[in-house]
Amino acid sequence: MATLTHPEPAEAASSADGYRHLIDGRLVGSSQSFDVFDPATGEVFAQCPSADRADLDRAVAAAKRAFPAWSRTPIAERRAMLAAFAQRIRDDAEALHPLLTREQGKPLADSLGELQRIGDHIEGMASLPLDSVVLSEGPRERIEMRWRPLGVVGAIAPWNVPVALGMHKVAHALYTGNTIVLKPSPYTPLTTLAVGALAVGIFPDGVFNVLAGGNELGALMTGHPDIDKVSFTGSVATGKKVAASSADSLKRVTLELGGNDPAVVLADADVEAAADGIARSAFANCGQICMAVKRVYVAAPLYDQMVAALVKRAEAIVWGPGTRPGVRMGPIQNAMQYDKVASVIDRTRADPAAKFETGGQLPGGPGYFVPPTIVTGLADDAALVCEEQFGPVLPILRYEDEADAIRRANDTRFGLGASVWGSDTAHAAAVGQQLEAGQVWVNRHGGNPVNVPFGGAKESGLGREHGVEGLRSYMEMQIVTVPVA
Ligand code: NAD
C-alpha cells in the first residue's frame, strides 16, 4: 500500500466562513477573501478564501513533490483511494447539496443529483483500462505503445456544473498517476472547497490540491512553469487565452468550451417526443449547459405543431428560487451572465421580425431570474441564433429542405453537440454525420456514459475528456522498442 497520511486541518488564517483551500494535504485559509453571491437574491451570503501567487506556488510545489511516488503507486491502489473519495462524496451529498443550490442557484434536487453522480463518475473513470498496446511483435523486436502521466495538472472549472466538472478532472488526473491543483470558478467555489476537504486523509499529501481564487489565479496557473498540463472548461474566449498562455511552456492543454448546439427536427419526427427531449435539454440548469439545445431547426410541415409543443412545455416549467419546493428551474447563476442574457433578449426585442411565443419579460429582481422563453421569426444572423445565449431563451427556425437545415446548423464557429430527431433513425443518423459537432445524438440531446469521450469540434474545444481517450489526454504516449532475446 502507498503511505496514507492523515493530516490535521491547519488553523485558518482568515475568517472566510470556515471554507479552506486544500494544499499539501492540509486545509488552510487565506488572509484575503472574496464575496460569494446567492443568485436567487443577488445578495452576498458567504466569504471565500482567495489564494494568491504564494498559495499557488505552495500547492504546485506540493503536487510536484508528490508526483514521483504517486505516479509509481500501483493502479489498484490509486483506484482504491479514488473509490474511498467517491464514497465520502456520496456520504456527504445530502448534507452538502443545499450549499450548492445557495451558490449556484439550481433546484435542490439537481444539486443533490450533481453531487450524487460524482462518485459513480469517479469510479467509472477509474475502472477504464490503461493498458499498453503491442504495435508489433516479430522475431527480432517487440514494439509497444505505452502512456505515462504528465506531472502536475492545473484544472480550471466553470460555474454551471461546478463540482462535477471539477471532480471529473480530479478523477482523470489522479487515476492516470498525475497530481492536481484544481481551481473552481470564483462564482461557485464553496461546494468544491467542501468536497476537497473530504479528500483529507485519503490521498498522500500534495496529490490533490484545491485553491479558490479569481480569474487572475487561473491566469497564474496557465503561466506556471511547474504545471505540465492544463485542463480547462469554460468559455471560448477564455479558452483561447488559456491556449495562448500555455503555449509558452508547451503545456499539454485540453479545452472543453462553449457550444451553440442545433437540434434538427426532421419531417418524420415524433413531435411530442422531440418536444419533450428538446425542452428538457434547452431549459435544464436554466439553459446553462454547454451541450444544451440552443437553436432548433424544424421541417416546415411540422413547424407550427413543434412551436406549440415547445411553448406548452416552456410554460409548464415552474421557475423560482432553487430552494422552493416544486421549482424545476432556478435563476441565472450570476449578474454577468444575467446581463448577457438580458442583452440578447433586448436585441431580439428590437428585431421587428422576432416573435416572443412565450416568456421574454424579466421580473427584474431580486435575483437573476429569466423565465423560459421561446422566440420565432429570427433570421440566421440574429444574435440569439449566432451567439451562445447560455440561458433559457430558445430560438426556433423553420427550414424547407434538409440540405439547407444542415448548412445552417453548420454555419457557426461552435461545434460541441448536435441532435437530429426523426422516426427513420438510420436516415437521422446519416443527417447527423453531416453535422460539424463533437457528438451527435439521434432522438435525444446530451448525456453520455463515462466511457464515451466528450469534446468539441471547431472552436468548441481541443481534445477530449472521459473515456479512455480522455484518460490518455492526461498522459504522454511513449513508444518502447525492445529486442526479443
Ligand atoms: P469562463 O471562461 O468565464 O471561466 C471558466 C474558468 O476560467 C473560471 O474558473 C475562471 O475563473 C477561469 N478564468 C477566467 N479567466 C482566465 C484566464 N485568463 N486564464 C485562466 N483561467 C481563467 O467560463 P464560465 O462563464 O465560468 O463558464 C461558462 C462557459 O463554459 C460556457 O461557454 C459553457 O458552454 C462552457 N462550458 C463548457 C463545457 C464543456 O464541457 N465543453 C462544460 C461546461 C461549461
Side-chain angles (χ1 to χ4, degrees):
M1 274 292 287
T3 312
L4 292 182
T5 56
H6 299 274
E8 291 301 315
E11 275 304 302
S14 81
S15 60
D17 292 350
Y19 299 102
R20 304 283 181 271
H21 310 294
L22 173 61
I23 302 178
D24 203 10
R26 284 166 177 74
L27 299 175
V28 296
S30 308
S31 53
Q32 304 291 314
S33 64
F34 58 89
D35 295 338
V36 183
F37 293 79
D38 178 343
T41 62
E43 303 285 335
V44 174
F45 79 96
Q47 292 295 307
C48 181
S50 182
D52 58 15
R53 181 190 289 267
D55 295 318
L56 177 64
D57 285 344
R58 266 196 298 282
V60 173
K64 192 175 174 180
R65 261 194 318 276
F67 173 69
W70 181 249
S71 62
R72 288 194 301 268
T73 300
I75 285 181
E77 290 176 26
R78 298 205 295 257
R79 186 179 285 141
M81 287 183 243
L82 282 163
F85 181 48
Q87 191 54 42
R88 275 203 192 159
I89 300 173
R90 282 191 198 101
D91 292 344
D92 279 45
E94 182 71 39
L96 282 176
H97 81 284
L99 176 62
L100 180 53
T101 289
R102 192 83 196 273
E103 65 176 347
Q104 205 283 335
K106 62 183 69 177
L108 285 168
D110 295 354
S111 292
L112 186 60
E114 177 177 341
L115 291 168
Q116 283 176 332
R117 283 190 291 274
I118 291 171
D120 290 349
H121 193 95
I122 291 174
E123 287 184 343
M125 286 308 294
S127 68
L128 296 175
L130 284 178
D131 307 331
S132 53
V133 175
V134 177
L135 294 176
S136 70
E137 194 162 24
R140 293 159 62 92
E141 64 182 18
R142 173 185 165 87
I143 305 180
E144 266 188 38
M145 184 158 60
R146 297 181 177 175
W147 285 268
R148 312 179 72 241
L150 292 164
V152 178
V153 172
I156 301 175
W159 45 258
N160 60 336
V161 193
V163 193
L165 291 172
M167 294 306 149
H168 294 174
K169 296 180 190 303
V170 173
H172 281 72
L174 301 196
Y175 178 53
T176 50
N178 298 280
T179 56
I180 191 166
V181 178
L182 167 65
K183 187 195 91 65
S185 165
Y187 291 114
T188 52
L190 302 179
T191 318
T192 301
L193 289 181
V195 170
L198 299 178
V200 171
I202 293 180
F203 302 103
D205 291 354
V207 164
F208 176 24
N209 306 272
V210 188
L211 295 181
N215 296 345
E216 63 290 347
L217 182 66
L220 287 173
M221 288 170 72
T222 61
H224 201 289
D226 288 332
I227 287 183
D228 302 287
K229 180 202 164 86
V230 173
S231 171
F232 172 84
T233 301
S235 62
V236 172
T238 311
K240 289 179 182 178
K241 289 184 198 163
V242 168
S245 162
S246 302
D248 237 12
S249 55
L250 282 185
K251 288 185 198 343
R252 294 343 187 217
V253 177
T254 302
L255 302 175
E256 296 279 9
L257 307 180
N260 190 8
D261 290 11
V264 178
V265 181
L266 302 177
D268 67 346
D270 174 336
V271 169
E272 295 301 318
D276 279 342
I278 290 171
R280 198 178 305 123
S281 166
F283 299 118
N285 206 25
C286 200
Q288 302 165 118
I289 293 185
C290 55
M291 53 170 157
V293 172
K294 294 180 181 134
R295 315 172 267 158
V296 187
Y297 295 88
V298 185
L302 297 187
Y303 181 79
D304 291 340
Q305 261 180 288
M306 194 68 202
V307 171
L310 282 168
V311 166
K312 189 170 134 197
R313 283 155 181 81
E315 290 180 345
I317 294 172
V318 180
W319 55 275
T323 48
R324 188 179 291 164
V327 160
R328 281 179 45 214
M329 195 181 92
I332 292 286
Q333 198 280 322
N334 59 65
M336 173 277 298
Q337 186 60 32
Y338 177 82
D339 289 346
K340 272 193 195 171
V341 176
S343 152
V344 171
I345 290 176
D346 284 350
R347 283 179 284 160
T348 304
R349 202 176 294 290
D351 179 345
K355 182 175 178 210
F356 282 78
E357 301 283 350
T358 187
Q361 300 294 343
L362 301 182
Y368 310 129
F369 293 98
V370 176
T373 298
I374 289 182
V375 182
T376 57
L378 295 174
D380 289 346
D381 61 356
L384 181 56
V385 179
C386 301
E387 296 176 12
E388 183 188 34
Q389 67 273 51
F390 221 55
V393 186
L394 185 66
I396 308 180
L397 303 117
R398 180 201 303 260
Y399 72 83
E400 302 296 335
D401 72 89
E402 274 174 25
D404 188 43
I406 293 165
R407 181 192 59 74
R408 291 162 68 195
N410 286 338
D411 186 17
T412 168
R413 66 199 175 100
F414 295 102
L416 192 55
S419 57
V420 185
W421 304 76
S423 300
D424 178 347
T425 53
H427 177 66
V431 171
Q433 258 188 303
Q434 299 172 68
L435 297 176
E436 296 162 356
Q439 36 276 310
V440 175
W441 296 274
V442 170
N443 292 339
R444 73 180 171 94
H445 197 109
N448 279 341
V450 70
N451 64 330
V452 175
F454 178 84
K458 296 155 89 174
E459 291 192 16
S460 285
L462 203 61
R464 294 292 182 270
E465 293 201 326
H466 312 285
V468 171
E469 287 77 3
L471 291 174
R472 287 180 180 161
S473 75
Y474 283 66
M475 306 182 91
E476 188 73 55
M477 184 193 292
Q478 181 184 55
I479 302 297
V480 180
T481 305
V482 186
V484 175

